[in-house]
Amino acid sequence: MTLNVFKKPLYVILFFMDARFSYLSHLKCSACDHIYDADQLQTISPCCARPLLACYDLATLAKEVSRDEISHREATMWRYHEFLPVREPAHIISLGEGMTPLLHAPCLAPQGLEQQARLFVKDEGQNPTGSFKARGMSAAVSRAVELGVQGLVTPTAGNAGAALAAYAARAGLPSHVVAPKDAPHTCIQQARLYGGEVHLIPGLITDAGRAAAETARQRDWFNVATLREPYRAEGKKTMGLELAEQLGWRLPSAIIYPAGGGTGVVGMWKAFAELRAAGWIANDQLPKMIIVQAEGCAPLVRAFHQGKDEADAWPADEAHTQAAGLRVPSAIGDRLILQAVYESGGTALTVSDDSMQQMVCYAAKRAGMLIALEAAATLAAYHTLLATNFLQVEDEVVAYFTGSGLPDLQYVVC
Ligand SMILES: *Cc1c(COP(=O)(O)O)cnc(C)c1O
């Protein structure tokens, strides 16, 4: 009897010893490839002051893990734990984020093209806290917990602060959120409700970034500002892993993404490279990466059209758009974002706030979806790119609906 009871757990332990929970190996500077220890808290690279990227032992992963195994796992982004940075399952702070639906939505094509359109939308508004910021924060907070932080800080345009406060609450850690005073009231309210301490400041997200860094320094708390620590991008990477899995381990012709800090673009482009390296997708299948920004704040689009590999900051007093997530005058990941757009043969374009508003209404009335202004920007971009023939109606296109429309309800009139 006693023997039997002991035999089984032992077998289970031995079984799990072959495959690692995470294949994280090291961090590297995104500018010069200099290597850093992944098992210490890191921010930006000390060598170049640029984002650090997480690297995995993908050769071993390819030998020890099969993509078919994944399909039997729980429906959260943690089903891809081998590609994520957390080493111990017990350290995962999860609210069930990820595995959002990929919805076929030809009804959101321009009128008259619904029959032929191959438009899909990834509905990120169904994540905990109402946006895809949940993915990044789940990864960053989990890893910060694993590495022993005492408190967490973030600057935010709205959704990131709500997500950080939620995951910090779940982890039992205090959080401090710094937001421009015109950030969506509902997001601020939400962050407070989770127990986050919220500091509203005059200015833009970049000003909030400086204030957050200062608070983190004073309290010795960890600052999870986007791409200023390595793991929010890893969480957002799962949008790319999921897309491949949901399409049967292949990728679409094009992806349209509303870029603010651009973490999602960086994460997804990294996801596709890793899937290729692991042999989980074929080599000839990368989608065109298309980024959309608001007319009133478009540093990345401007840089793209100037053929630059870095983006100059948009003048702060001219950064105007109601889409809070796109009110980002400069992004520390600019080179990585532009690189993904160039390498993939994608493009970059702006849309007006009016067209975002119209597309919120279009999605609500024609598809029953309540989407954020940023998400609506992808739809406006899709319509424009069909009109200019950059995209053809038969191209398989995935638009990332990055957040729920609830925080924007007060700004939208249909
Ligand atoms: C933060 C945010 C964005 C921009 O995301 P990045 O990955 O930082 O470019 C887009 N849409 C919504 C709803 C957001 O909250």
Side-chain angles (χ1 to χ4, degrees), residues 23-295:
Y23 285 76
L24 178 68
S25 55
H26 59 277
L27 300 172
K28 72 166 191 206
C29 170
S30 59
C32 75
D33 289 350
H34 191 91
I35 286 175
Y36 292 92
D37 184 358
D39 289 304
Q40 281 182 24
L41 279 177
Q42 304 275 7
T43 54
I44 50 175
S45 69
C47 47
C48 305
R50 285 283 166 172
L52 285 173
L53 296 175
C55 300
Y56 297 79
D57 179 359
L58 296 168
T60 311
L61 185 155
K63 282 189 220 115
E64 296 179 348
V65 191
S66 87
R67 66 185 195 191
D68 300 328
E69 250 176 87
I70 305 284
S71 61
H72 304 293
R73 295 190 182 161
E74 63 170 339
T76 79
M77 70 174 208
W78 293 101
R79 70 206 268 111
Y80 308 109
H81 57 77
E82 288 93 345
F83 290 87
L84 290 170
V86 176
R87 300 214 188 269
E88 296 282 339
H91 293 143
I92 290 177
I93 309 295
S94 175
L95 293 162
E97 53 293 321
M99 281 316 268
T100 55
L102 179 68
L103 300 170
H104 189 211
C107 59
L108 295 180
Q111 278 170 34
L113 297 179
E114 301 93 333
Q115 294 296 321
Q116 305 110 283
R118 293 173 67 206
L119 175 66
F120 290 81
V121 298
K122 187 87 169 124
D123 188 11
E124 292 293 301
Q126 295 194 36
N127 275 301
T129 74
S131 82
F132 70 155
K133 293 291 195 300
R135 296 179 187 265
M137 288 304 181
S138 180
V141 172
S142 298
R143 187 67 177 143
V145 163
E146 187 158 73
L147 297 176
V149 306
Q150 298 303 311
L152 293 154
V153 182
T154 194
T156 183
N159 284 325
L164 175 69
Y167 286 90
R170 184 97 170 136
L173 286 174
S175 64
H176 181 87
V177 169
V178 189
K181 60 179 181 339
D182 59 356
H185 184 68
T186 35
C187 295
I188 298 307
Q189 189 83 343
Q190 199 183 345
R192 286 202 172 113
L193 213 60
Y194 296 130
E197 178 189 5
V198 180
H199 179 38
L200 295 177
I201 55 143
L204 293 168
I205 179 86
T206 31
D207 303 295
R210 279 184 281 275
E214 186 51 36
T215 304
R217 225 178 349 260
Q218 280 167 7
R219 299 190 185 178
D220 199 20
W221 286 7
F222 192 61
N223 182 7
V224 292
T226 201
L227 289 171
R228 289 177 182 275
E229 63 75 52
Y231 302 122
R232 275 176 70 182
E234 294 304 293
K236 283 195 176 175
K237 181 176 88 176
T238 60
M239 289 191 290
L241 302 176
E242 268 173 45
L243 180 62
E245 186 184 356
Q246 288 172 323
L247 289 173
W249 301 109
R250 57 174 194 84
L251 295 170
S253 327
I255 283 176
I256 310 181
Y257 185 87
T263 316
V265 178
V266 174
M268 283 196 278
W269 195 238
K270 191 168 181 290
F272 303 151
E274 290 176 1
L275 287 174
R276 278 167 66 159
W280 288 20
I281 56 169
N283 270 338
D284 54 353
Q285 283 201 337
L286 291 178
K288 293 188 173 79
M289 301 297 282
I290 299 168
I291 57 170
V292 53
Q293 296 196 293
E295 272 176 2

Side-chain angles (χ1 to χ4, degrees), residues 274-325:
E274 290 176 1
L275 287 174
R276 278 167 66 159
W280 288 20
I281 56 169
N283 270 338
D284 54 353
Q285 283 201 337
L286 291 178
K288 293 188 173 79
M289 301 297 282
I290 299 168
I291 57 170
V292 53
Q293 296 196 293
E295 272 176 2
C297 185
L300 296 165
V301 177
R302 185 176 61 184
F304 176 81
H305 289 290
Q306 293 170 340
K308 290 191 180 167
D309 53 16
E310 260 181 44
D312 296 328
W314 198 260
D317 51 352
E318 290 167 26
H320 300 296
T321 169
Q322 237 160 27

Side-chain angles (χ1 to χ4, degrees), residues 287-358:
K288 293 188 173 79
M289 301 297 282
I290 299 168
I291 57 170
V292 53
Q293 296 196 293
E295 272 176 2
C297 185
L300 296 165
V301 177
R302 185 176 61 184
F304 176 81
H305 289 290
Q306 293 170 340
K308 290 191 180 167
D309 53 16
E310 260 181 44
D312 296 328
W314 198 260
D317 51 352
E318 290 167 26
H320 300 296
T321 169
Q322 237 160 27
L326 305 185
R327 219 182 292 136
V328 181
S330 68
I332 190 175
D334 56 348
R335 292 190 214 184
L336 295 169
I337 301 159
L338 289 163
Q339 197 185 335
V341 177
Y342 290 127
E343 278 178 16
S344 69
T347 190
L349 71 163
T350 61
V351 299
S352 67
D353 278 27
D354 277 351
S355 59
M356 290 183 219
Q357 292 251 359
Q358 282 164 19

